[in-house]
Each structure stands twice: as structure tokens, then as C-alpha cells.
């Protein structure tokens, strides 16, 4: 018999797959149960409401992303690196994720957070991890005021990732965009 946490995780994974494949509107308890290979009763036992399903799915994704991006950020503090090394990190972030249903789902969840303020704290936590990585990269490159520019860099990444998702544009476009950002960063105020 599967452990309750395994069942719960199977349900969350199924929710992320469904959202990535067909959007939030496709998330029904019956479909989740079928996709997760659990009983319908298990879905409602573990998650009383659709909001709870969406929130827990976003929190799960956030926890994974936060661990991943924090580890990348920590690796950026060991020793200074040049623009080429920074481009490699950005390429890893941009090109490392295939746009399968599991990676499309977070974009849907972030849009849902725009509609449902109860999801915003979870989304903000994930963006804080993205900002941390961007700040570390910009700091290593000697870009003035990296904390202020981190949000801009993250916005560029998300915009380029959405463009890549929608058009199939290569990850190299993202690397080029970020290299331009670092080159033309405004000088630090005295």
C-alpha cells in the first residue's frame, strides 16, 4: 500500500502535468485520479478544494525551483567569473529545462496567482530565488547595483522563456539578451 505522502506527491505531480498539458481548467478530480493512478477518494482526502490543489502544486514547484536556483546562486559566489562563464550559467537556466508539461505548468500557475491573491505568496517566494541567482551573477560580473537590476534580469528571462515556449526560439536568444543587459547597465551612483 502506498504511503500517504507518496499518494499526495503523485497527485501533485499529476496536477502539474495536467496544467502543463491542458491548462488549469482541465484540472478535475477525476482526471487527477486517473493521471495519478489513485482513487477519486484519495484526491478529495488529500486536497479538500481546487485552491488547495493549485496552491500545493505551486508550493511544490517553488520548493524545487528554490532549491535548484539557490544551489546555482551558491555556486556563483565561490570565485569570480567572466562573461563567458555567466553566459554558461544563463544557458543552463534557459536551456536546461525542456518545455514539457511539467515546465509549462508553472507559467499557468503564475498567471493564476495573478487572479488569486492566495497564491501570490508562493509565487513571490519563487521569484525571490530567481532574484537571488540574478543578483549573484550580476555581482560576479561587477555590474553596478545588482540588486536593483536583478528583477529586470529575471523579467527578461521570463519574457524570453515565454517567447521560447510560444515560438520555439532558441535559448541562445536569452543569453544574448542578458549579455546586452550587463553591457549596458547604468553606472553605479556615487
Amino acid at each position: 500500500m502506498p504511503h500517504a505522502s507518496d499518494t499526495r506527491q503523485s497527485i501533485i505531480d499529476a496536477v502539474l502535468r495536467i496544467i502543463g498539458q491542458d491548462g488549469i481548467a482541465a484540472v478535475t478530480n477525476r482526471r487527477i485520479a486517473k493521471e495519478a493512478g489513485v482513487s477519486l477518494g484519495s484526491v478529495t482526502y488529500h486536497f479538500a478544494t481546487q485552491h488547495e490543489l493549485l496552491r500545493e502544486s505551486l508550493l511544490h514547484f517553488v520548493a524545487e525551483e528554490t532549491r535548484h536556483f539557490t544551489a546555482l546562486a551558491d555556486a556563483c559566489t565561490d570565485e569570480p567569473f567572466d562573461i563567458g562563464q555567466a553566459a554558461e550559467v544563463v544557458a543552463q537556466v534557459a536551456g536546461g529545462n525542456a518545455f514539457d508539461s511539467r515546465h509549462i505548468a508553472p507559467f499557468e500557475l503564475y498567471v493564476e496567482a495573478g487572479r488569486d491573491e492566495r497564491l501570490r505568496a508562493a509565487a513571490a517566494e519563487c521569484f525571490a530565488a530567481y532574484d537571488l541567482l540574478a543578483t549573484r551573477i550580476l555581482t560576479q560580473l561587477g555590474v553596478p547595483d545588482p540588486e536593483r537590476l536583478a528583477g529586470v534580469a529575471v523579467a527578461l528571462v521570463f519574457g524570453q522563456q515565454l517567447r521560447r515556449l510560444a515560438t520555439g526560439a532558441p535559448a541562445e536568444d536569452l543569453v544574448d539578451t542578458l549579455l546586452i543587459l550587463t553591457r549596458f547597465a547604468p553606472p553605479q551612483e556615487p
Side-chain angles (χ1 to χ4, degrees):
M1 184 167 136
H3 193 272
S5 65
D6 293 338
T7 300
R8 188 174 175 85
Q9 188 59 52
S10 294
I11 292 168
I12 288 171
D13 290 341
V15 169
L16 290 171
R17 279 192 307 275
I18 293 166
I19 292 170
Q21 291 167 357
D22 298 315
I24 290 174
V27 176
T28 66
N29 287 356
R30 288 191 192 288
R31 179 146 179 214
I32 294 165
K34 181 179 177 184
E35 184 84 23
V38 300
S39 70
L40 183 59
S42 290
V43 176
T44 56
Y45 172 79
H46 287 283
F47 301 97
T49 66
Q50 175 132 11
H51 167 73
E52 186 181 347
L53 269 167
L54 295 175
R55 183 180 177 281
E56 291 302 314
S57 298
L58 180 58
L59 287 173
H60 173 73
F61 173 77
V62 164
E64 286 183 347
E65 284 286 275
T66 300
R67 276 191 295 276
H68 175 70
F69 282 93
T70 301
L72 283 173
D74 289 346
C76 291
T77 61
D78 292 340
E79 58 188 58
F81 54 78
D82 62 23
I83 198 78
Q85 291 165 307
E88 288 176 26
V89 173
V90 172
Q92 182 182 355
V93 169
N97 291 336
F99 276 122
D100 58 12
S101 63
R102 187 164 172 83
H103 293 95
I104 294 170
F107 287 97
E108 292 270 353
L109 289 167
Y110 291 139
V111 170
E112 188 64 19
R115 293 183 190 107
D116 184 346
E117 66 185 45
R118 297 172 295 179
L119 297 174
R120 289 185 187 151
E125 182 181 332
C126 199
F127 277 95
Y130 300 148
D131 289 350
L132 174 64
L133 177 58
T135 298
R136 297 263 174 91
I137 291 171
L138 295 171
T139 298
Q140 291 292 54
L141 292 172
V143 172
D145 203 5
E147 292 86 8
R148 185 173 63 84
L149 291 177
V152 173
V154 169
L156 281 172
V157 169
F158 265 78
Q160 286 288 49
Q161 290 291 66
L162 280 171
R163 181 183 183 127
R164 181 175 164 222
L165 172 63
T167 67
E172 292 79 25
D173 289 352
L174 174 59
V175 173
D176 291 344
T177 300
L178 291 177
L179 291 175
I180 289 168
L181 173 70
T182 61
R183 177 181 257 173
F184 296 108
Q188 192 167 8
E189 293 181 19

